[in-house]
Amino acid sequence: MDQIHNIRSRFFEKGENISQIATTLNLDWKTVQKYVDMTDFNSPASKTVSEQRFCPKLDPYKPTIDQWLVEDKNAPRKQRHTAKRVYSRLCKEFKGFDCSYRTVASYYAVKRKELFSGPRDGFLPLEHKPGEAQVDFGTAEFYENGKKRTGKYLELSFPHSNKGYLQLFYGENMECLLEGLDAIFRHIGSVPTELWFDNTKTIVTRVIRGGGRTFTEKFERFREHYRFKAVFMNPGEGHEKGNVENKVGYQRRNFMVPVPRFLSLPDYNRQLLALCEEDADREHYRYNETIEERFQEDLKQCHSLPTIHFDLTSRMPITTNKWGKFYLNKGMHEYSVSPRHAVSKVNLILTSALVIVQDEKDHEIVRHRRLYGDTKQQQMDWLPYLKQLSLRPRALKYTGIYDLMPPTMKAYLEGCSSTEVGRVLKTLTELTDRTGFESAVNTVNHALSYDAKDADSLENLYRRLYANVPELPPMPLQPGIPKINQMSAHLIAYDAFLKRKGGVNHA
């Protein structure tokens, strides 16, 4: 019994899974499974559950379930299928699916690679008044236009009705918070009377003994503009806003499994709001009414949107270095401006997705996709630098910009004659201005394969790759037009003609 107690304690109290327990105790996993599932110690464990796990009725769908779980190996832990999500997808994607949830869950239990965490300490349930909302961020992976990203999504939940909304972003900062809240407020057409937050550095700059807080100026202005009361949890007591904590996990499992793929993040965020509305049609977990019906009580206590639009961006001045660049995020993220604005002050406008650079007269110079993460990254707009280099081609190798160029482009320029470098740089500038720097690099790569080291060849290769000239079909011939055979050339006749004129042309 000590061994049995050890197995069950590891599973139910410590949250270890079947494989971990079997490896640690040097037991067969079937033995561990047997004692984890055992409910009656006066008699052998029932075999009913084991028989249900492999119910033949589920056989046509087992390959599909297995495929989903295999794909989950490459998905974040919090975006993997649960038994409920597997059952939901089977019902939705297979017409006539009639297996019970219990059958699906039993089969899933055998195939899954991870188990739910062990039991947590309990807390007394809190009663939440209508119009109150809670705010938190969750992490999720997604594919935008084929590129995999790891981002953050803002979650806003209403504990009284259990309705929640989310908006997905590339990261987590002040701009993401304010844009997400504003989008949700405008979607529901009103503002909650009270919002509960963690003590995130995005909002709180200092926690004062006795419960006070020092806020960032931008958040204080936002709070006053939308007229809501901000409530902050005690440090380390995230369970105080347990409704939004649960909603973060619920909506990730139901809206972001499998890992979402889309072309445009703004379009997908609109889809997420629509999914939240559909989800609210289900029955409330505690009351005999739907979430949407209870949400109407929340809306009655919310107040109207302000008539004046709030500027959700952040603005800051910054000085560029001698290469016309600047750094954000403690020097980890590098952005270009232009050589013309080297060692000069520029103004930045920051949104959740963009970094917009303006000169001192508020004229836009360049805009970049905003970088996120704690790794060194660079955003370059090559056009102004190529324009500058095309005017001074002899200074090319003595500039720091030359070292930043892709290796293939440097190799190509090194192979050009000194008189041709200026023309090539001018051509590269024109190509970049048309369709971007990547298309110019791709054209150079093709030119290297053909050993073409002049501007005219670059231009011709670019037209072949990017001009998108339609290929016309052969012209149909009308009946009655005679077929003319191809004439053959007799070069001997030309030689005889040239000799009569004074000699053979050897050019």
Side-chain angles (χ1 to χ4, degrees):
M1 289 300 296
D2 290 340
Q3 182 78 291
I4 296 173
H5 176 74
N6 191 12
I7 291 171
R8 293 172 66 82
S9 175
R10 286 174 178 272
F11 181 84
F12 291 106
E13 297 178 15
K14 297 181 181 180
E16 296 182 11
N17 63 32
I18 300 296
S19 299
Q20 290 173 328
I21 299 171
T23 302
T24 303
L25 302 181
N26 195 24
L27 296 172
D28 187 273
W29 71 269
K30 294 180 181 178
T31 303
V32 177
Q33 181 80 61
K34 171 184 175 181
Y35 291 118
V36 166
D37 289 345
M38 185 177 289
T39 57
D40 185 358
F41 288 87
N42 293 312
S43 59
S46 172
K47 296 182 180 179
T48 305
V49 174
S50 177
E51 293 169 354
Q52 288 180 347
R53 283 194 188 109
F54 300 95
C55 176
K57 194 174 182 181
L58 196 61
D59 285 348
Y61 311 101
K62 288 178 182 178
T64 301
I65 299 173
D66 294 348
Q67 181 184 347
W68 291 344
L69 298 183
V70 168
E71 291 173 353
D72 276 351
K73 292 180 180 180
N74 298 322
R77 178 177 63 85
K78 294 182 179 180
Q79 280 179 267
R80 294 175 180 174
H81 286 79
T82 61
K84 185 176 180 181
R85 180 58 177 157
V86 169
Y87 177 74
S88 174
R89 287 192 68 184
L90 289 172
C91 292
K92 185 176 182 180
E93 298 179 19
F94 289 91
K95 187 176 181 179
F97 179 77
D98 59 349
C99 294
S100 68
Y101 168 73
R102 186 168 183 178
T103 301
V104 175
S106 297
Y107 179 76
Y108 169 88
V110 175
K111 294 292 180 179
R112 65 184 175 178
K113 300 300 179 181
E114 294 182 8
L115 297 173
F116 296 111
S117 59
R120 302 178 180 177
D121 296 334
F123 302 98
L124 292 175
L126 299 175
E127 292 297 328
H128 299 278
K129 58 183 179 294
E132 171 195 312
Q134 299 178 356
V135 182
D136 201 1
F137 274 95
T139 304
E141 288 187 353
F142 57 91
Y143 291 87
E144 183 183 22
N145 203 17
K147 185 173 182 179
K148 186 177 182 181
R149 301 183 185 276
T150 299
K152 298 281 187 175
Y153 59 97
L154 177 77
E155 185 73 50
L156 179 73
S157 72
F158 292 82
H160 175 77
S161 62
N162 198 33
K163 189 170 186 179
Y165 293 95
L166 76 162
Q167 291 285 272
L168 185 60
F169 295 97
Y170 300 111
E172 177 182 352
N173 53 31
M174 177 65 74
E175 292 73 46
C176 297
L177 173 68
L178 301 190
E179 287 179 24
L181 290 176
D182 179 79
I184 295 172
F185 292 165
R186 295 189 180 283
H187 176 74
I188 65 177
S190 58
V191 181
T193 56
E194 188 172 292
L195 293 178
W196 291 23
F197 297 91
D198 282 326
N199 295 283
T200 173
K201 294 180 181 179
T202 303
I203 302 174
V204 179
T205 57
R206 188 162 64 101
V207 178
I208 304 172
R209 182 176 297 179
R213 304 286 191 281
T214 302
F215 307 119
T216 58
E217 181 183 355
K218 189 72 174 182
F219 177 75
E220 285 190 299
R221 290 181 178 277
F222 183 83
R223 179 190 61 184
E224 295 301 324
H225 188 86
Y226 286 91
R227 295 187 302 111
F228 61 82
K229 178 183 178 182
V231 179
F232 291 87
M233 305 301 97
N234 293 313
E237 301 294 334
H239 63 273
E240 293 179 348
K241 56 179 185 61
N243 182 266
V244 73
E245 300 279 355
N246 292 332
K247 192 66 69 178
V248 164
Y250 171 83
Q251 293 196 332
R252 176 169 45 219
R253 292 189 298 270
N254 287 273
F255 297 167
M256 299 187 182
V257 175
V259 177
R261 296 174 181 268
F262 48 83
L263 297 177
S264 166
L265 182 57
D267 291 341
Y268 184 67
N269 272 328
R270 285 188 283 271
Q271 293 179 34
L272 286 175
L273 293 174
L275 288 174
C276 293
E277 298 296 349
E278 293 176 12
D279 183 67
D281 288 335
R282 59 191 172 92
E283 187 173 342
H284 193 278
Y285 67 93
R286 185 185 296 178
Y287 301 100
N288 292 326
E289 51 185 331
T290 65
I291 292 175
E292 183 61 33
E293 289 171 342
R294 289 186 62 82
F295 182 63
Q296 298 307 310
E297 299 177 29
D298 280 314
L299 290 178
K300 290 177 182 178
Q301 299 303 318
C302 295
H303 55 260
S304 59
L305 290 165
T307 55
I308 298 175
H309 180 74
F310 185 82
D311 182 6
L312 303 170
T313 64
S314 295
R315 299 170 183 263
M316 60 181 291
I318 201 166
T319 302
T320 62
N321 61 17
K322 62 181 180 179
W323 308 120
K325 299 182 178 182
F326 63 91
Y327 296 86
L328 296 178
N329 192 29
K330 301 178 181 179
M332 300 296 288
H333 299 159
E334 181 183 40
Y335 299 86
S336 69
V337 183
S338 78
R340 214 174 84 186
H341 293 85
V343 196
S344 61
K345 285 187 177 181
V346 294
N347 298 317
L348 303 184
I349 300 177
L350 305 176
T351 74
S352 66
L354 297 173
V355 176
I356 302 170
V357 186
Q358 295 181 331
D359 61 19
E360 291 184 330
K361 295 182 179 179
D362 294 332
H363 296 146
E364 182 173 324
I365 304 170
V366 66
R367 60 175 56 200
H368 292 289
R369 180 181 63 84
R370 189 166 183 176
L371 300 172
Y372 286 92
D374 295 326
T375 58
K376 289 187 177 181
Q377 301 174 63
Q378 182 188 73
Q379 278 286 76
M380 281 288 298
D381 180 5
W382 282 95
L383 186 59
Y385 293 89
L386 291 174
K387 284 182 178 177
Q388 188 78 4
L389 289 173
S390 66
L391 299 175
R392 301 178 60 191
R394 293 184 179 180
L396 172 65
K397 292 186 178 180
Y398 306 102
T399 66
I401 304 304
Y402 178 75
D403 295 331
L404 297 174
M405 286 183 170
T408 54
M409 186 168 285
K410 288 195 289 186
Y412 183 80
L413 290 169
E414 288 173 1
C416 295
S417 64
S418 57
T419 57
E420 192 69 19
V421 169
R423 290 188 63 217
V424 168
L425 284 171
K426 185 177 179 180
T427 301
L428 291 175
T429 303
E430 293 172 354
L431 304 187
T432 301
D433 193 24
R434 291 182 207 168
T435 52
F437 186 64
E438 290 184 4
S439 65
V441 174
N442 188 33
T443 305
V444 166
N445 293 341
H446 280 75
L448 283 172
S449 66
Y450 288 108
D451 196 28
K453 301 292 181 63
D454 60 276
D456 292 334
S457 296
L458 272 183
E459 182 71 31
N460 289 331
L461 282 170
Y462 175 83
R463 287 174 182 167
R464 182 189 302 177
L465 294 170
Y466 297 101
N468 196 25
V469 177
E471 185 176 347
L472 298 177
M475 180 180 294
L477 297 178
Q478 300 296 329
I481 297 179
K483 184 177 180 181
I484 302 175
N485 295 326
Q486 182 177 354
M487 297 180 63
S488 59
H490 299 284
L491 300 181
I492 296 175
Y494 288 98
D495 289 340
F497 176 77
L498 291 172
K499 286 180 181 179
R500 288 199 300 271
K501 293 296 183 180
V504 180
N505 186 0
H506 297 286

